[in-house]
Each structure stands twice: as structure tokens, then as C-alpha cells.
Amino acid sequence: MGLLSDPVRRRALARLVLRLNAPLCVLSYVAGIAWFLALVFPPLTQRTYMSENAMGSTMVEEQFAGGDRARAFARDFAAHRKKSGALPVAWLERTMRSVGLEVYTQSFSRKLPFPDETHERYMVSGTNVYGILRAPRAASTESLVLTVPCGSDSTNSQAVGLLLALAAHFRGQIYWAKDIVFLVTEHDLLGTEAWLEAYHDVNVTGMQSSPLQGRAGAIQAAVALELSSDVVTSLDVAVEGLNGQLPNLDLLNLFQTFCQKGGLLCTLQGKPEDWTSLDGPLQGLQTLLLMVLRQASGRPHGSHGLFLRYRVEALTLRGINSFRQYKYDLVAVGKALEGMFRKLNHLLERLHQSFFLYLLPGLSRFVSIGLYMPAVGFLLLVLGLKALELWMQLHEAGMGLEEPGGAPGPSVPLPPSQGVGLASLVAPLLISQAMGLALYVLPVLGQHVATQHFPVAEAEAVVLTLLAIYAAGLALPHNTHRPLSYRVVSTQAPDRGWMALKLVALIYLALQLGCIALTNFSLGFLLATTMVPTAALAKPHGPRTLYAALLVLTSPAATLLGSLFLWRELQEAPLSLAEGWQLFLAALAQGVLEHHTYGALLFPLLSLGLYPCWLLFWNVLFWK
Amino acid sequence: MAAAMPLALLVLLLLGPGGWCLAEPPRDSLREELVITPLPSGDVAATFQFRTRWDSELQREGVSHYRLFPKALGQLISKYSLRELHLSFTQGFWRTRYWGPPFLQAPSVWINLGRSSVMSSQGSSAPLSTSSTPPTQSLPLPPSNPWVWPMTLTTTFCAMLCCRGRWSAPKTSPPGRSSCPVVPRASLISFHLLQAGLSVLLKADRLFHTSYHSQAVHIRPVCRNARCTSISWELRQTLSVVFDAFITGQGKKDWSLFRMFSRTLTEPCPLASESRVYVDITTYNQDNETLEVHPPPTTTYQDVILGTRKTYAIYDLLDTAMINNSRNLNIQLKWKRPPENEAPPVPFLHAQRYVSGYGLQKGELSTLLYNTHPYRAFPVLLLDTVPWYLRLYVHTLTITSKGKENKPSYIHYQPAQDRLQPHLLEMLIQLPANSVTKVSIQFERALLKWTEYTPDPNHGFYVSPSVLSALVPSMVAAKPVDWEESPLFNSLFPVSDGSNYFVRLYTEPLLVNLPTPDFSMPYNVICLTCTVVAVCYGSFYNLLTRTFHIEEPRTGGLAKRLANLIRRARGVPPL
């Protein structure tokens, strides 16, 4: 601080920042990327460990042996489902009652804002069925949830069979201290959302549903199950929830311990873990990148993702069938689940001991928040350095007349020049924000108008309007400042206008990215990686076309497109350009839908926050 | 915890065996009774009652000789001039919707001390009525020292009773009565038992495999004769358990004493003057003979219990023929036709309570009251005690039934005082026929001082159940019964005026999470935060509030300073 209060040294520091700005920025950016890539190596990545005392050892004896029963239930369920074409509610009720549960149903309906073409649904109505196993001599204050989402197309009947067989087994045990809710939801996530909202008696997304008749206190943890065949080769675990929320790491540790105990092959992002081989870190990086991409998308990857909003630690287990050398039947999966539930049953407090914010380069390795935040910190430093440089240049431009001989003057810029800078900023700021608002509101509002005038379906209309407004934003605001600035700005400092605008834009971007990185690191990091360099480069001189191309390539929409390609590349299923474009359009529609149906925040964040900010840089680039 | 749990009370039963062969007729008597009720859901409830009656004025006569009445309790009564004591310990939750209204409803721990009217032999003194004998003397009771009671009871019952804040009295209860209605989480340890008579069946490992377990002590004065010229003391020790038919019977609903308790009855208690087993053999549907009881009962007993006509088979253990035939008595009940998997009949009044909302700032307490009577409306008295750390917003209190606002005819609200007393909310609500009434009130979660958190703060904090008291319309008219002669289960709180019967229900206790700091490193956090704030604040404040000027290099020396001194004295600007 003494450094800053001494004017002489302050000036030296300022000169340093000005002269070395470009190398410092490059260094900082490279350091950020390098830090992120280094996250998979041992000093930064650590082995996971169980923090919660109540779940410390795996000393429970799994006795589940209902494999045949599970298969029989699954067959019956599939048959009834085929017959009725929807969730066989009556059959489920009867079966759950016959295994001794307290059974309730809940009906719900939801009209989506526009037809969902991926899942082929528009007016959705369905019924959830759930049975409660009441713990003996407990007053229903706490509960655990085992849920199976049944979509219209998904073949999740094995999971329903296993759920029922587990319910039958659990019902015969006397050690339960928490109630267990066995939940089968229709229309996968929509049903889960309806049930959760009704359970907590809130209405977040405009779902219409009947009130719940039976409750079981505060839900402590939940496990969602998705199986597609009787035999699985590995169990994949999904942790990424709505808006990038993650469950407590201990829940994942619990799953991993029981995988090891039962000798199951467990995977994360579909990738088995192998740290012994030479390309272990490379594989870890692949898994880490996949997790970053999934978390950044902000969508719930499995129905567990919706539980996280209600502070219920949850994860999804998915049986996959791709590693031919391993084979496990339902008994093995059931035993792992039984072990997990018995351990969760021991919990005295909600899971809180371990990390809530982490990245996973593998199932047994994690990176804690303290170690990954510097990566995004370095990236944001670039914006700070650039803003500092602009601020100083603005000052010098303002002081230019008074201090020709380098005599020390007051370091406050002249009031009139500052006033000019701010006034000329109002119009571009307002216009870009208005564009963002239009981008957020118009596509869904104007879909009917669009379908009347153009030969497109509603969903297409929404996506195309979205793209049209996005593109229109590029053409609109870049010449609006002229009538305002021409009159006032003196000829001595023609650069002052865009510099002030860029300064504001830089600070705005840094603030936004900082906030995003705090809540959803992956999204913040991804956006920072792409947006920061071009944001730092943008200026109305030099190779403008190159800058414009770069800026377009790093706009939020282009980032989304690029992420899709990267995602498929990492999954070793590369996309062709046409496929990529189709996927991009579908992703746009899904993003808007998920905002309306589950309250995902990515769409408003991009349209109301980052897109206007990006437009400001576009504005800077075409400043005249 | 389950392994080291209650039955502490029953040890008291046989504390004073001396002197029962005295020449004069004993002034105390013991009755024991077991009621077995198949519940609508298929589970089986067993209710034990042991009643000791002592014709002695404990508080006036200096009693030193105890026979059947436990001395520890007797001394408690005489020392504190106690008029009544009700204490119950419950594990589990009576699921009224599936099990029907209970004989003895109790929340997890329920302590009720103080004075109320003396129970007259003719019965029917509703706990709701406020007419009580005026207090004759003040008791050394709370609130003067709220810890005396929990401490004394703790030592007597080996239980941890912990009441946060002051005990409060609902306005509808008689004056001078202090009650701590519910302590949602108390732990209890250890017991030993002498076994004879019905208590043979009290085998711990069976009793703790039940789905509901409640034991209680009720001490109260009763009239010794019809004119009530003198009083006797009555001690009732009750134990209710519900056996899970699904686990015990492997899916079958047949049951027997042996299957439930893994014991059979072999002999009556030598100290008891009455020792009976009642089995509810009421058939719910019209076509008879679905149930078969073995051995066939010698007598049956019919009465109106909780609004419905019930038939009980009676097995009298003092009847020597009953035991002598086979040396033991194993009552069995078989279903001739397996009961269909139909929905069990729903009782007229049941309730549900939950916390709604998410996040750690606000929430809402909602209570759903169901009146399933097809055509009768009836009023319900709802009593809520909410801890102070949930700050209730009373203006958000809404009561709706059938989509319309339902104005309560009476509301009493006593606001909480931080760290002293809880909120107390009492309402008399009319429940329309065949309706669901929702009572909801919003609250804000308080941030506690960091020493006020429990050792397991992330578990959440308990909110005690609401208490519902109602006079529910009966299906059949009841006739007044002779209180002293009727079975015990019918006479603990014999409240029914023919067309109505009294029900007291407790809703589920709730678990509410409060905003909880991370306790794992408070010291580090405090130190770090303080350091950062101290360092940054000072220098930033300095930078922001000062203007800096370059100091001219100092020229001249002593002479100039002197000159400046002179100039200042003259009022001229210095050099």
C-alpha cells in the first residue's frame, strides 16, 4: 500500500504496467491455461477420502439376493407398459402395496412453452407413483429417496424391477432409521421436478400438480437409477446437476467404496479410471474436460440434478453396456445400492463434511476449489491488466495538455472529458442490453407470429428467431454513438470514446465471469478461455477483419458450437459439420426449454449478461 | 440407541413387595390388562396397562410405608405437592390414517405436571374443560426454577429431558398447570424387570422390533367413593406397541402371542387383583366369521370405543381353568378368509404436517387437517409450539378449506422471546365436512450464536408436533359406563358424551435446518478474516481519503524555520 501512496513509485509502477502490458497479459493467459491443464497431475489432484464419520467403513453385510425377482418385476413392468402405452400406474401401485409399502400417486401436467422435438412432447401430463417404507420406531422426520425416471422412450424397466425388488428386500429389514421413498416418475425429469415441487410445496416452474398425500420428512439423500438391460458391464455415475450444482463429494466416495467392495467396474463420464498406466493423466484430462463441459452446460444430467436445488445430495447411477470383458447382473448392482442405503441410513447429519465444489479427473481423484480457482483467476487478471492500461491511457489523454514537461499534476482526470466519455457510453450500453432482452424474450413470445408468416414449426421458429436476433445484434448498434460523440469530443482525443467503452466492457466482463466462476467454475472458465483474448485485443485500429473474425468465433454462441464439437471429440464420436449444426440447433432449443421447465440459468445468463457484454466489444471494434 | 431404550417405568412396579400379608386389608390394589387390537392396516397393536390404586392421602398423611406404590414417585408427590403427572416416552409415530385413532395418543416425550380437576368416579372430565378446583397452594414449580422438574424426573426415569427455554402453558388449560408439551428428542436408558403375570410378555428384543413403541406414566388423584369425600392416588403405567404384520408374519396376517412376543402367558401376577387380556374381535364388514380366535373366549365385552361399537374377547388369567388346561395360554387369531387388499377405512380426523420451501432463509410450516366425515363439521383446537429460532410471521397465517378462507373462531398467540420462550399459537378451527383444511404460516430461520448450536447442527433442529384436540362425532351413541368397573383401556381419559368422543392427535415432529456455519475451522476463518480486514481496510481508507502532494525538497535550515515562526506570529504566510 505504501507503493501506491507514494506518487513517485506509483508513476514507476504505472509505467511498468503500460510498457509491459502485452507480455504480462500473454503470460497471465498462458499461466491460466497451463494451471488448468496441470490440474490432473498429483500435487494439484488428490485422492478422494471419506470425511463423514458415520459412513467411515463399509462394514455392512449386503444380503440382497432378489435378482430373479427384479427380473420378473422388470418383465411384468415392461409388458404392462407396452399394453397401456404409458406408465402402468395401477400395476405399480398394486405391486408396491404387495411388497408392503405405503403407496401414493401424484398427477401432474405441464404445457411446455414450445414443442420439445428431442423428446417429442408439448402438452405433458403424467402420474408419479411412490411408495414409502416407514422406518420402525421413527417419526418420519428424515428420509432417503431411490428414484427411477421413466421417459416415454427410455427403456428403464430393469431399473423399475430392481427398485421393486430392493423395496421388497428393504421392507423385511428392521434396521432402518430413516424412511425410504421409492419413486417412479413419468416423463423423466419433468415428473421428478413435479414431485419435488409438490413435496416441498413450492411452484418454481409453473407446473400443475396434485398435492402429495404422503410425506416422509426432510430428504437427506437421493439416488437415481437408470438401467437398460439385465446385465450391465459397468456403472456410470453422473454428478452434474442443475446449474452446475454438485452433490457432496462424500456421496460419490460412498458409491466408489461400494463399487470397490463389490468388485464392480465404475466409470465417470463413461471412462474407466487407470492411473497406473503412462497415459493416465491424459485420460484424466479427458475425463476432466468432459466434466467441465457437462457442468458448464448447466443442465441436469440425470434426475438427481433436480434434487440438488432442495439441498438433497443426489447422484445418478447409469448401467452401461460397453465394456465387454466385465459383466454384472442385477444382484451386484442391487448389493451396491443396498450398501449405499444402509450407510446413508447411518447418517446422523446431512452430508456436509466433504467438498461441495470440486472437479473430478477420475472417480478416485478430485481437485478442490482452492486449487482450481487460480486458473480462472489468471485469466481474469488479463482483463484487469487491460482495464488498468486503458484507465491510465485515458488519464494521460486527459492530462496531455497540462503536463507537456512531465511536471507532476493532479492525478484526477479533468471533469469535462470524463463527462463526455460517460455520456457517449450510455447509448451503446442501453442498445446492447436491449438486444439481450429481446434475445431473451422475443423467441418464445413471437413463435406464433413466426409460424404464421414462415413455413416453420414452433420449435424451429424459436431457434431461428434466436439466431436472427443474435445476428441482428451485430449489425445494429455499432454506429449509434456517432451523433452523440461528434458534437462533443474534441479532436485531440479521438480515441477516448472507444477506450472508455472498452474499459467499461472489460470491467463488466470481468465481473460477470468472476461471479459465474464462483458458482459454476466450469462455465466461467470455458467462457473466460474463449472471450478473454479477443476482448483484450478488440480495438478499432489494425487488422479489423481479423479481429472481427476472431470476435465472432469467440462469441457465446460460437463457444457453444465449439463445445459441442469438443464434447463429441472427447467422447470419441466426432461430428461432421452438418451433424454439428443440427446438434447446435437442438441444443439451443433445449437450453431455452430447460430454462422454462427446470429453471436452468444458462440461457438468461448468456442472453441477458454475456451477449450484451460481447456486443460492446463488437461496438468497440467498429468504432468510428 | 434402540438397544438401550426404555421400560424404565416398569421397574417401579415391583419396588415394595414387603408387608402384603398384613392383617388389615391392603389399601392398595393392582390391576393389569393387555388389549390386543388388529389395526385396519393389518398390523397389530398391543396395549399393556398396569394400574396401582392407593387409598391414601399422600400429601396430608406422612406416609412412610409403601407397598405396591413406588416409593420414588410417592415421595415426589408429597415433596412437590404434585397434583398430577403425565409423562410419556415414545419412539415412532402413531399413523392415525392407517391405524385409526389410538387409545393413548402420545408424542415422543410428553410431560404434563400440575393441577387439574380430580377425576370423579363417574367419569367424563374432558381435558378440554377449564373448570378445575381452584389452586389451594402454590407449588414450587416452574417457571421459578424450570430445571427442578426435568432434573428430578431425569433421575427417576433414567431419561435425558432437556427443555430449551421456559415452559409455557396453553391458555385453554387450567390455570396453574405447567406443561412442557413435547420434547421432540429425548434419550432414555436402561431398565430391569421382574417378570410375572402379563409382564412376562415384555421381552425387550421383541418389543424393540416393533414399528411403534410408547410408554407412559400417569399419576393422578381419583375419588375414593361416589361422593368424593376423600381421594386416592392412581398410578398407571402403560406400554403400547404396534407389531409390523409384514415383518413378523412374513406377509400373513395371522398372529399369536408367541409369534408377537416369543413368549406365552403362564401364570397371573400374584400381586394383581385383576389380570386380563382383551382381544378386539370386531368384524368390520357385515358378513360374519372372518376372524377366528383360539382358544375360544369364555366371555366377551361390548362397548363403544372411539365412536364405534367394538367386541372384545376376554381372557381372565385369574380364572384358574384358563391356565391349567395347557399350562400356558397362547392366544391365536386366524383369518378364515384372507382380508382383501382394500384400502383401510380412514378415520374421521387425521392430520399431516410438513415444512415447505427450500433454501436456508425462509420457509413455511403447513398443517393439513383432514375431516373425512361425510356430513358433519366439527371444531378442532390446534396448538402449535414453535421454537423461537423460527421467527414466525403471523400476518402470513392462512387457513383455507375447500379453496376458501376459513376464519378461526378463536386465536391466541403468544410471541416468542429469544432464548426464553417459544411461540405459542392456539386456534379453534371449524373443519367443514369432507374437507382438507390447510393451515400455513411462514417463518424465517434465525442465525444462532455459534455456541448455541447443538453438537450436530447439520442434523437440523426439531420442531415439536402440533397438538389437535377435537370432539369427533361418533357413529353410535355411547352409554355412560361405571368408571371403576370398566376395563382400564376405556377409562384412562373416559371422554365421550354420547354423540361425540374426544380425540387428541399429534402430528409429525419436523426437522428444520438452520443456517449453519462451517465449524470445522472457525478459528482459522476468524483470524484470517480479521487480518485481511485490518490490513486492507486501513490502507484502502488511507488511500481513498487522503490527497497526496509532493513535498518540496527542504532548503534552508534553522534560519528559515525561525523566519517562518516569526511570520506565523505576524499572521503572514510562511516562506
Side-chain angles (χ1 to χ4, degrees), chain B residues 55-69:
Chain B
D55 296 338
S56 156
E57 302 241 354
L58 271 171
Q59 285 160 359
R60 295 198 196 139
E61 305 162 13
V63 181
S64 60
H65 184 71
Y66 287 80
R67 205 180 78 102
L68 291 175
F69 205 89

PDB file of all heavy atoms in Angstrom, chain B residues 55-69:
ATOM      1  N   ASP B  55     -55.308 -46.074  48.381  1.00  0.00           N
ATOM      2  CA  ASP B  55     -56.261 -45.248  49.121  1.00  0.00           C
ATOM      3  C   ASP B  55     -55.537 -44.525  50.243  1.00  0.00           C
ATOM      4  O   ASP B  55     -55.635 -44.889  51.409  1.00  0.00           O
ATOM      5  CB  ASP B  55     -57.385 -46.119  49.699  1.00  0.00           C
ATOM      6  CG  ASP B  55     -58.196 -46.746  48.584  1.00  0.00           C
ATOM      7  OD1 ASP B  55     -58.159 -46.189  47.465  1.00  0.00           O
ATOM      8  OD2 ASP B  55     -58.847 -47.770  48.809  1.00  0.00           O
ATOM      9  N   SER B  56     -54.801 -43.520  49.873  1.00  0.00           N
ATOM     10  CA  SER B  56     -54.031 -42.800  50.881  1.00  0.00           C
ATOM     11  C   SER B  56     -53.873 -41.363  50.415  1.00  0.00           C
ATOM     12  O   SER B  56     -53.697 -41.096  49.236  1.00  0.00           O
ATOM     13  CB  SER B  56     -52.657 -43.460  51.041  1.00  0.00           C
ATOM     14  OG  SER B  56     -51.742 -42.522  51.542  1.00  0.00           O
ATOM     15  N   GLU B  57     -53.990 -40.451  51.383  1.00  0.00           N
ATOM     16  CA  GLU B  57     -53.792 -39.056  51.025  1.00  0.00           C
ATOM     17  C   GLU B  57     -52.323 -38.742  51.198  1.00  0.00           C
ATOM     18  O   GLU B  57     -51.876 -38.352  52.259  1.00  0.00           O
ATOM     19  CB  GLU B  57     -54.655 -38.165  51.923  1.00  0.00           C
ATOM     20  CG  GLU B  57     -56.129 -38.507  51.839  1.00  0.00           C
ATOM     21  CD  GLU B  57     -56.946 -37.348  51.330  1.00  0.00           C
ATOM     22  OE1 GLU B  57     -56.384 -36.263  51.150  1.00  0.00           O
ATOM     23  OE2 GLU B  57     -58.144 -37.543  51.104  1.00  0.00           O
ATOM     24  N   LEU B  58     -51.588 -38.936  50.131  1.00  0.00           N
ATOM     25  CA  LEU B  58     -50.135 -38.854  50.218  1.00  0.00           C
ATOM     26  C   LEU B  58     -49.643 -37.522  50.744  1.00  0.00           C
ATOM     27  O   LEU B  58     -48.668 -37.452  51.474  1.00  0.00           O
ATOM     28  CB  LEU B  58     -49.541 -39.082  48.830  1.00  0.00           C
ATOM     29  CG  LEU B  58     -49.240 -40.513  48.470  1.00  0.00           C
ATOM     30  CD1 LEU B  58     -48.874 -40.586  47.014  1.00  0.00           C
ATOM     31  CD2 LEU B  58     -48.108 -41.022  49.323  1.00  0.00           C
ATOM     32  N   GLN B  59     -50.338 -36.463  50.361  1.00  0.00           N
ATOM     33  CA  GLN B  59     -49.805 -35.152  50.691  1.00  0.00           C
ATOM     34  C   GLN B  59     -50.132 -34.726  52.118  1.00  0.00           C
ATOM     35  O   GLN B  59     -49.491 -33.855  52.663  1.00  0.00           O
ATOM     36  CB  GLN B  59     -50.318 -34.114  49.687  1.00  0.00           C
ATOM     37  CG  GLN B  59     -49.589 -34.264  48.370  1.00  0.00           C
ATOM     38  CD  GLN B  59     -50.327 -33.651  47.227  1.00  0.00           C
ATOM     39  OE1 GLN B  59     -51.423 -33.121  47.423  1.00  0.00           O
ATOM     40  NE2 GLN B  59     -49.779 -33.727  46.049  1.00  0.00           N
ATOM     41  N   ARG B  60     -51.160 -35.341  52.688  1.00  0.00           N
ATOM     42  CA  ARG B  60     -51.529 -34.930  54.049  1.00  0.00           C
ATOM     43  C   ARG B  60     -50.957 -35.889  55.072  1.00  0.00           C
ATOM     44  O   ARG B  60     -50.382 -35.495  56.065  1.00  0.00           O
ATOM     45  CB  ARG B  60     -53.049 -34.873  54.188  1.00  0.00           C
ATOM     46  CG  ARG B  60     -53.591 -33.784  53.280  1.00  0.00           C
ATOM     47  CD  ARG B  60     -54.970 -33.373  53.662  1.00  0.00           C
ATOM     48  NE  ARG B  60     -55.526 -32.630  52.537  1.00  0.00           N
ATOM     49  CZ  ARG B  60     -56.760 -32.753  52.114  1.00  0.00           C
ATOM     50  NH1 ARG B  60     -57.593 -33.571  52.733  1.00  0.00           N
ATOM     51  NH2 ARG B  60     -57.186 -32.052  51.089  1.00  0.00           N
ATOM     52  N   GLU B  61     -51.137 -37.178  54.852  1.00  0.00           N
ATOM     53  CA  GLU B  61     -50.619 -38.139  55.805  1.00  0.00           C
ATOM     54  C   GLU B  61     -49.127 -38.278  55.579  1.00  0.00           C
ATOM     55  O   GLU B  61     -48.658 -38.313  54.455  1.00  0.00           O
ATOM     56  CB  GLU B  61     -51.278 -39.500  55.590  1.00  0.00           C
ATOM     57  CG  GLU B  61     -52.799 -39.444  55.650  1.00  0.00           C
ATOM     58  CD  GLU B  61     -53.436 -40.673  55.015  1.00  0.00           C
ATOM     59  OE1 GLU B  61     -52.720 -41.657  54.766  1.00  0.00           O
ATOM     60  OE2 GLU B  61     -54.655 -40.633  54.779  1.00  0.00           O
ATOM     61  N   GLY B  62     -48.393 -38.341  56.640  1.00  0.00           N
ATOM     62  CA  GLY B  62     -46.973 -38.582  56.493  1.00  0.00           C
ATOM     63  C   GLY B  62     -46.731 -40.059  56.211  1.00  0.00           C
ATOM     64  O   GLY B  62     -46.577 -40.864  57.123  1.00  0.00           O
ATOM     65  N   VAL B  63     -46.737 -40.415  54.963  1.00  0.00           N
ATOM     66  CA  VAL B  63     -46.653 -41.829  54.620  1.00  0.00           C
ATOM     67  C   VAL B  63     -45.204 -42.250  54.558  1.00  0.00           C
ATOM     68  O   VAL B  63     -44.378 -41.553  53.979  1.00  0.00           O
ATOM     69  CB  VAL B  63     -47.314 -42.075  53.254  1.00  0.00           C
ATOM     70  CG1 VAL B  63     -47.258 -43.546  52.917  1.00  0.00           C
ATOM     71  CG2 VAL B  63     -48.735 -41.592  53.285  1.00  0.00           C
ATOM     72  N   SER B  64     -44.891 -43.328  55.201  1.00  0.00           N
ATOM     73  CA  SER B  64     -43.524 -43.811  55.060  1.00  0.00           C
ATOM     74  C   SER B  64     -43.505 -45.254  54.608  1.00  0.00           C
ATOM     75  O   SER B  64     -42.468 -45.767  54.229  1.00  0.00           O
ATOM     76  CB  SER B  64     -42.773 -43.676  56.382  1.00  0.00           C
ATOM     77  OG  SER B  64     -43.450 -44.432  57.351  1.00  0.00           O
ATOM     78  N   HIS B  65     -44.654 -45.900  54.649  1.00  0.00           N
ATOM     79  CA  HIS B  65     -44.655 -47.320  54.312  1.00  0.00           C
ATOM     80  C   HIS B  65     -45.293 -47.538  52.935  1.00  0.00           C
ATOM     81  O   HIS B  65     -46.445 -47.198  52.717  1.00  0.00           O
ATOM     82  CB  HIS B  65     -45.426 -48.114  55.359  1.00  0.00           C
ATOM     83  CG  HIS B  65     -45.377 -49.572  55.104  1.00  0.00           C
ATOM     84  ND1 HIS B  65     -44.217 -50.312  55.285  1.00  0.00           N
ATOM     85  CD2 HIS B  65     -46.310 -50.413  54.649  1.00  0.00           C
ATOM     86  CE1 HIS B  65     -44.466 -51.559  54.951  1.00  0.00           C
ATOM     87  NE2 HIS B  65     -45.727 -51.645  54.567  1.00  0.00           N
ATOM     88  N   TYR B  66     -44.519 -48.046  52.031  1.00  0.00           N
ATOM     89  CA  TYR B  66     -45.007 -48.241  50.671  1.00  0.00           C
ATOM     90  C   TYR B  66     -45.125 -49.720  50.389  1.00  0.00           C
ATOM     91  O   TYR B  66     -44.293 -50.516  50.813  1.00  0.00           O
ATOM     92  CB  TYR B  66     -44.034 -47.614  49.669  1.00  0.00           C
ATOM     93  CG  TYR B  66     -44.078 -46.110  49.660  1.00  0.00           C
ATOM     94  CD1 TYR B  66     -43.410 -45.366  50.618  1.00  0.00           C
ATOM     95  CD2 TYR B  66     -44.799 -45.435  48.681  1.00  0.00           C
ATOM     96  CE1 TYR B  66     -43.455 -43.991  50.617  1.00  0.00           C
ATOM     97  CE2 TYR B  66     -44.850 -44.060  48.670  1.00  0.00           C
ATOM     98  CZ  TYR B  66     -44.178 -43.332  49.632  1.00  0.00           C
ATOM     99  OH  TYR B  66     -44.236 -41.972  49.614  1.00  0.00           O
ATOM    100  N   ARG B  67     -46.184 -50.088  49.676  1.00  0.00           N
ATOM    101  CA  ARG B  67     -46.361 -51.487  49.351  1.00  0.00           C
ATOM    102  C   ARG B  67     -46.292 -51.658  47.838  1.00  0.00           C
ATOM    103  O   ARG B  67     -45.241 -51.996  47.288  1.00  0.00           O
ATOM    104  CB  ARG B  67     -47.697 -51.976  49.897  1.00  0.00           C
ATOM    105  CG  ARG B  67     -47.746 -53.467  50.157  1.00  0.00           C
ATOM    106  CD  ARG B  67     -49.090 -53.856  50.699  1.00  0.00           C
ATOM    107  NE  ARG B  67     -50.085 -53.925  49.655  1.00  0.00           N
ATOM    108  CZ  ARG B  67     -50.519 -55.054  49.122  1.00  0.00           C
ATOM    109  NH1 ARG B  67     -50.051 -56.191  49.582  1.00  0.00           N
ATOM    110  NH2 ARG B  67     -51.410 -55.059  48.175  1.00  0.00           N
ATOM    111  N   LEU B  68     -47.354 -51.376  47.149  1.00  0.00           N
ATOM    112  CA  LEU B  68     -47.351 -51.527  45.694  1.00  0.00           C
ATOM    113  C   LEU B  68     -46.964 -50.243  44.989  1.00  0.00           C
ATOM    114  O   LEU B  68     -46.417 -50.250  43.897  1.00  0.00           O
ATOM    115  CB  LEU B  68     -48.742 -51.957  45.210  1.00  0.00           C
ATOM    116  CG  LEU B  68     -49.171 -53.362  45.578  1.00  0.00           C
ATOM    117  CD1 LEU B  68     -50.597 -53.612  45.150  1.00  0.00           C
ATOM    118  CD2 LEU B  68     -48.255 -54.377  44.930  1.00  0.00           C
ATOM    119  N   PHE B  69     -47.281 -49.143  45.620  1.00  0.00           N
ATOM    120  CA  PHE B  69     -46.996 -47.849  45.010  1.00  0.00           C
ATOM    121  C   PHE B  69     -45.494 -47.571  45.112  1.00  0.00           C
ATOM    122  O   PHE B  69     -44.895 -47.739  46.169  1.00  0.00           O
ATOM    123  CB  PHE B  69     -47.775 -46.770  45.759  1.00  0.00           C
ATOM    124  CG  PHE B  69     -48.045 -45.561  44.926  1.00  0.00           C
ATOM    125  CD1 PHE B  69     -49.195 -45.485  44.137  1.00  0.00           C
ATOM    126  CD2 PHE B  69     -47.175 -44.488  44.927  1.00  0.00           C
ATOM    127  CE1 PHE B  69     -49.456 -44.374  43.375  1.00  0.00           C
ATOM    128  CE2 PHE B  69     -47.435 -43.377  44.156  1.00  0.00           C
ATOM    129  CZ  PHE B  69     -48.575 -43.316  43.379  1.00  0.00           C
TER     130      PHE B  69
END
